[in-house]
Amino acid sequence: MDIFTAYPTTWMVIFAAAFVGALCLNSLLKRLPVKSTTRRRSLRRAFVATVFAGFVIPVAVPGALQVYAPAFIVLLFESSFQAQGDSTNALLSMLIGLCGVFVAVLLLAAMVHRLVAKLSAASASEDNG
């Protein structure tokens, strides 16, 4: 079964709430009194994307493997509220997913920065020539 087939409205609400939260976090981080550089913008974007992913990474609920829930909720409930809870899958999913998103956004930002630098250098040499 597809992750989003069973509860499409619930997942839409989760994605919408995570998106609004990520926008608010990004806005808050933009307002910090630090000089904005390409490296800091890339780190901010990577951090915001990682927080967004932290709220939407799905994992199967132990005991009901056909039901998926956000990994942070499964981790919280299995580690805190279940006497014999097993939060291993949720923890692994979150660690792998969050690290993957952070690294992917940083690599994407580096590639875009390099591409923009090459295009502006080519444009500058074309203007001078």
Side-chain angles (χ1 to χ4, degrees), residues 2 23 60 113 120 122 126:
D2 186 19
L23 287 177
H113 178 67
S120 46
E126 186 177 288

Side-chain angles (χ1 to χ4, degrees), residues 22-110:
L23 287 177
C24 292
L25 177 63
N26 187 46
S27 178
L28 177 71
L29 292 176
K30 275 184 177 179
R31 296 189 192 319
L32 290 178
V34 293
K35 182 181 172 192
S36 180
T37 63
T38 303
R39 185 171 289 150
R40 286 191 178 135
R41 281 191 303 272
S42 297
L43 284 173
R44 184 188 77 233
R45 290 177 182 142
F47 180 69
V48 169
T50 303
V51 169
F52 173 77
F55 285 104
V56 298
I57 292 174
V59 69
V61 176
L65 296 179
Q66 70 277 9
V67 178
Y68 286 85
F72 83 96
I73 291 176
V74 174
L75 179 67
L76 176 72
F77 276 86
E78 290 296 317
S79 62
S80 299
F81 301 122
Q82 297 286 338
Q84 301 297 324
D86 181 25
S87 61
T88 307
N89 287 341
L91 183 61
L92 287 176
S93 293
M94 284 195 68
L95 286 175
I96 292 168
L98 296 180
C99 292
V101 166
F102 190 79
V103 169
V105 171
L106 283 180
L107 288 175
L108 182 65

Side-chain angles (χ1 to χ4, degrees), residues 3-4 7-16 55-58 68-70:
I3 293 172
F4 307 108
Y7 306 103
T9 306
T10 305
W11 280 104
M12 284 191 294
V13 169
I14 290 168
F15 272 90
F55 285 104
V56 298
I57 292 174
Y68 286 85

